[in-house]
Amino acid sequence: MSEVEGASDQLSEVSLDEKQKPASENVENSPSDSPEYLSVTIGATVPTGFEQTAADEVREKLGSQSRISKDRGKIYFDISVESLSKVHGLRSVDNLFVVVQEFRDYQFKETKEDVLKDFEDLAGKLPWSDPLKVWKINTSFKKKKTKRKKLTQQNSINKEKVDDEQGDMGAEKQITSHTVEEVLETIENQDDTIGETPILAYSKKISEIPSAIEKEKGVNESPKEETESQVLKFRVTCNRAGENHCFTSNEAARDFGGAVQDYFKWKADMTNFDVEVLLNVHNNEIVVGIALTEESLHRRNITHFGPTTLRSTLAYGMLRLCSPQPTDIIIDPMCGTGAIPIEGAAEWPNCYHIAGDNNPLAVKRAANNILSLLTKSQVKESKAFWGLPIDAIQWDICNLPLRTGSVDIIVTDMPFGKRIGSKKRNWNLYPSCLQEMSRVCRPGTGRAVLLTQDRKCFAKALSRMGHLWRKVHTVWVNIGGLHAAVYLLKRTSQVFVHPSELEHEKETF
Amino acid sequence: MRAQAGMKLLTHNLLSSHVRGVGPRGFPLRIQATEIRVSPVDFNPDFVTRMIPKMEWTALVEAAESLGHLSELPRQLKEGYEKDEDFLRKVHHVLLEVEVVEGTLQCPESGRLFPISRGIPNMLLSDDEATS
């Protein structure tokens, strides 16, 4: 098992258990010296219901098989440490952590006292060293989280640099701060944006950095790690789910955290921590992990928020569900701030995306988000004023100004009635929507992915359109506590005929 | 100075007027542009080849011409265009690189004007104008 860790960042030589391959003899601070064949288990939180989609993305981008946890919204997969940067390129993942240990069938003692004592004892017995190595490598990928006001001050300094050529990846920190700066600049120019995005914007860039990290020795380490006398700050976050636990998550976090503190001699800090230890308890399953993401990635491409902005990870999952093919024309006819088309343009650049909404404010925000995406990709590839395959239009979903059968895919978040619109309006809106969508969608090959909370209304509207739409798959999701569903529909090969032109009753399937 | 994106001709090729009674005669919309932008986009021959069959060719050529970006495109598609890189590059340019930032789109049947402002066409109709 692992050896005792020192208080400093120096990680000592370790011996691994039989399951893992041997590590190199010399384990230092620098990421480039880390054993590249070291295998680790990564845990990822994903939007509930999209575990399979995320697993598909992991297999596609990392070549790893995933385990889908019974604890909904989590998947686990093994990778070699050298693939760590690629993990940050996953678009269906909200948060990432490295697994310290999993207990599939943890035996809880009878009394709270005993259970908590066990948690305390656990701290010293866990195999921390490899996960901590991974944490360290991961930390070197990204700049330490800076206080927001510092970035604001950098605004004026870096503004000049925005248009400079950023061809080589050696200036990793510079690029990171430009991206963040641009995002902030945009935020400051808008009214009701949420300021949590700065750190999120650069997570996309992390996957572009690996070669630079591997070549440079220690150049990209944050200042904190260079001061070896600095003690690490940490906190423990406990998520507990299950009916038969005699303890609360706070109690577990407190006692486990106390033991962790004693073991490592780290300093506890709830807000400004370096290491976030996760203690996830789901019935009899316990997973101890170390967080690899500081804030959720799910708002990554959106800089201009609206009242109901969809998570980027959910937008990605929905798009993936309909398997976009190259050159597919993909529209979101009720795009809001454009979360779905933006994600589409970022991840499926060989398709063509259109963001439409009837609300002028929404369309304006979508257009601004498109511009932000444009700017980001410009910085990344040193392309000033290049375009992306995406446009924004103001239109009415019930009366789309599009040629019949001209669109391949429709992906949209339909009005819920609780956050926007009303249940009564949905009653009329849904059938009109579905009809107009069936008109513009290409017969035979077209498909639609629709998110809605008003399942009853949707089911009723869909039942009258069996000759045009076939329901292929349903994903049950959770949107901010509301139960919703994502429906994957396929367009039948029946050519659209306006109901008024029909001479007889429609046949239903 | 932030660059402004505009409506691409690929999008224009999909747009059709929905004024009541107009039907398929609402296509194609006539473009009048007061501000155009040309921005480079990565050339992808496969994308262009596959997109051409989804386009109404004549309308695309007319639109390009009205913006002064005809680029010697033929009025009719020639056989074997998939292998003609020169041709594909011209189509790529017209589909993706020419953007209308300010202007109007006009319904050819009813004459109704739809404004394009900051690259966003406003296709909303009043209740009277809309198809029932």
Side-chain angles (χ1 to χ4, degrees):
Chain A
M1 290 296 257
S2 64
E3 300 175 354
V4 176
E5 308 299 312
S8 72
D9 292 345
Q10 288 293 337
L11 294 173
S12 53
E13 191 181 66
V14 293
S15 58
L16 307 171
D17 68 31
E18 311 84 78
K19 290 188 203 128
Q20 292 169 324
K21 296 179 194 156
S24 71
E25 302 286 354
N26 177 28
V27 182
E28 300 284 22
N29 271 352
S30 171
S32 61
D33 286 348
S34 64
E36 291 183 340
Y37 43 79
L38 182 62
S39 171
V40 285
T41 305
I42 300 288
T45 52
V46 305
T48 324
F50 282 92
E51 294 88 352
Q52 190 52 56
T53 316
D56 289 343
E57 193 195 6
V58 168
R59 192 183 52 242
E60 178 190 295
K61 293 185 178 169
L62 302 173
S64 298
Q65 207 42 33
S66 299
R67 251 184 306 125
I68 296 174
S69 169
K70 287 194 210 107
D71 184 5
R72 291 196 83 209
K74 287 196 182 65
I75 64 169
Y76 296 93
F77 51 92
D78 296 332
I79 52 156
S80 67
V81 166
E82 62 184 343
S83 305
L84 190 60
S85 58
K86 280 196 242 168
V87 169
H88 285 283
L90 294 171
R91 318 291 293 185
S92 47
V93 161
D94 285 322
N95 278 300
L96 292 162
F97 56 93
V98 52
V99 173
V100 176
Q101 188 152 2
E102 282 182 74
F103 300 89
R104 306 275 173 94
D105 191 21
Y106 189 87
Q107 297 304 314
F108 288 101
K109 298 231 169 80
E110 296 286 315
T111 68
K112 184 198 294 201
E113 226 173 44
D114 286 342
V115 169
L116 292 177
K117 177 78 175 53
D118 276 352
F119 281 151
E120 283 179 31
D121 293 341
L122 192 60
K125 298 180 193 160
L126 294 169
W128 292 103
S129 59
D130 285 345
L132 278 171
K133 271 182 228 155
V134 173
W135 168 82
K136 177 177 281 304
I137 295 167
N138 186 71
T139 312
S140 68
F141 285 160
K142 49 186 184 179
K143 194 170 177 175
K144 279 292 187 210
K145 183 171 180 174
T146 325
K147 296 283 185 243
R148 210 151 285 145
K149 54 184 180 212
K150 267 195 203 160
L151 287 166
T152 318
Q153 282 161 18
Q154 281 174 19
N155 259 357
S156 42
I157 301 164
N158 289 333
K159 209 173 158 64
E160 300 305 309
K161 293 184 185 164
V162 170
D163 294 324
D164 284 356
E165 290 277 289
Q166 288 292 331
D168 68 302
M169 285 295 170
E172 177 244 330
K173 275 186 189 166
Q174 228 184 356
I175 291 171
T176 315
S177 61
H178 287 176
T179 314
V180 171
E181 176 271 333
E182 283 160 65
V183 169
L184 281 179
E185 196 193 346
T186 326
I187 289 175
E188 279 152 50
N189 292 336
Q190 290 299 315
D191 306 326
D192 38 320
T193 51
I194 301 167
E196 61 175 276
T197 49
I199 307 305
L200 311 177
Y202 74 67
S203 337
K204 184 177 153 67
K205 303 194 61 55
I206 287 167
S207 52
E208 267 92 58
I209 291 167
S211 51
I213 295 293
E214 279 147 34
K215 282 179 207 151
E216 312 272 355
K217 294 200 173 188
V219 163
N220 295 316
E221 279 187 79
S222 68
K224 203 174 199 86
E225 286 157 35
E226 281 154 8
T227 355
E228 284 165 17
S229 53
Q230 203 122 13
V231 166
L232 285 180
K233 290 188 260 181
F234 84 107
R235 81 167 186 194
V236 172
T237 305
C238 176
N239 290 307
R240 188 197 63 78
E243 309 215 320
N244 298 322
H245 299 138
C246 56
F247 60 95
T248 67
S249 57
N250 281 338
E251 289 165 338
R254 178 198 64 207
D255 288 2
F256 183 66
V260 166
Q261 181 166 25
D262 291 340
Y263 185 71
F264 287 110
K265 312 283 182 261
W266 288 338
K267 194 173 157 212
D269 190 327
M270 287 305 291
T271 49
N272 194 24
F273 48 88
D274 304 305
V275 181
E276 183 176 19
V277 176
L278 305 168
L279 179 62
N280 292 333
V281 183
H282 182 254
N283 293 325
N284 274 34
E285 251 183 44
I286 295 189
V287 178
V288 181
I290 299 177
L292 297 176
T293 48
E294 286 175 23
E295 289 185 45
S296 205
L297 298 165
H298 56 66
R299 289 276 157 84
R300 63 180 159 251
N301 284 329
I302 299 295
T303 51
H304 298 71
F305 288 95
T308 58
T309 298
L310 193 70
R311 284 194 280 177
S312 297
T313 43
L314 197 48
Y316 176 83
M318 287 173 66
L319 280 161
R320 233 196 129 93
L321 209 56
C322 60
S323 314
Q325 299 303 301
T327 327
D328 271 348
I329 294 171
I330 307 177
I331 69 166
D332 181 355
M334 295 182 274
C335 68
T337 49
I340 296 172
I342 301 277
E343 193 66 24
E347 280 297 294
W348 285 272
N350 55 2
C351 293
Y352 193 76
H353 308 267
I354 300 185
D357 203 287
N358 64 351
N359 181 331
L361 202 55
V363 185
K364 184 178 155 207
R365 283 199 183 114
N368 280 330
N369 282 324
I370 292 170
L371 275 177
S372 298
L373 187 66
L374 267 172
T375 321
K376 263 198 283 190
S377 71
Q378 284 166 26
V379 170
K380 170 182 129 189
E381 297 186 34
S382 354
K383 290 170 179 172
F385 306 113
W386 281 60
L388 284 175
I390 176 170
D391 265 346
I393 303 180
Q394 191 174 350
W395 66 30
D396 176 5
I397 171 72
C398 298
N399 212 344
L400 292 171
L402 294 167
R403 283 194 274 123
T404 299
S406 60
V407 163
D408 296 293
I409 298 176
I410 301 168
V411 185
T412 196
D413 174 2
M414 299 185 75
F416 278 179
K418 277 195 178 163
R419 287 191 286 169
I420 284 220
S422 66
K423 291 242 168 181
K424 188 172 168 209
R425 270 195 24 206
N426 287 354
W427 216 245
N428 294 321
L429 184 67
Y430 278 27
S432 312
C433 272
L434 276 173
Q435 181 171 293
E436 189 65 344
M437 290 196 281
S438 70
R439 181 186 69 79
V440 303
C441 197
R442 207 180 304 280
T445 55
R447 48 252 190 250
V449 175
L450 311 173
L451 168 65
T452 178
Q453 195 230 343
D454 202 341
R455 304 195 307 262
K456 194 170 157 196
C457 188
F458 184 84
K460 177 151 188 216
L462 189 63
S463 66
R464 293 195 261 151
M465 309 210 66
H467 56 301
L468 293 166
W469 290 113
R470 192 166 51 89
K471 185 166 64 168
V472 166
H473 187 50
T474 309
V475 181
W476 305 105
V477 298
N478 191 304
I479 313 282
L482 303 171
H483 289 294
V486 172
Y487 298 100
L488 169 62
L489 307 177
K490 291 243 163 115
R491 179 68 174 79
T492 64
S493 36
Q494 174 138 357
V495 166
F496 181 85
V497 178
H498 198 279
S500 63
E501 293 169 46
L502 289 174
E503 290 164 344
H504 48 268
E505 287 291 296
K506 289 198 283 278
E507 285 179 75
T508 46
F509 270 13
Chain B
M1 181 185 63
R2 190 178 278 284
Q4 194 68 250
M7 179 199 74
K8 298 173 194 41
L9 291 185
L10 200 166
T11 301
H12 166 262
N13 201 267
L14 301 168
L15 290 176
S16 176
S17 162
H18 247 62
V19 172
R20 194 203 307 268
V22 148
R25 295 178 309 282
F27 177 88
L29 295 159
R30 283 190 213 116
I31 314 179
Q32 280 209 313
T34 52
E35 189 185 330
I36 296 173
R37 195 180 98 123
V38 176
S39 49
V41 174
D42 277 325
F43 172 60
N44 179 345
D46 276 336
F47 180 91
V48 181
T49 310
R50 289 206 227 197
M51 191 56 88
I52 289 173
K54 299 185 187 181
M55 301 284 98
E56 290 290 328
W57 182 255
T58 316
L60 181 64
V61 172
E62 277 172 11
E65 188 172 32
S66 71
L67 295 182
H69 279 261
L70 185 55
S71 327
E72 301 150 20
L73 281 177
R75 303 264 163 200
Q76 274 187 311
L77 278 173
K78 290 176 192 148
E79 252 196 49
Y81 66 75
E82 305 89 357
K83 297 171 200 124
D84 185 348
E85 189 185 300
D86 228 31
F87 170 76
L88 291 177
R89 279 189 183 272
K90 289 184 184 141
V91 180
H92 161 83
H93 173 73
V94 155
L95 281 176
L96 297 172
E97 297 184 330
V98 181
E99 299 176 355
V100 181
V101 181
E102 299 286 332
T104 57
L105 296 169
Q106 186 172 39
C107 173
E109 179 77 2
S110 70
R112 189 3 172 129
L113 289 168
F114 300 95
I116 302 174
S117 165
R118 295 163 75 104
I120 303 172
N122 182 352
M123 308 300 295
L124 289 178
L125 294 168
S126 67
D127 287 338
D128 300 335
E129 297 170 297
T131 323
S132 56

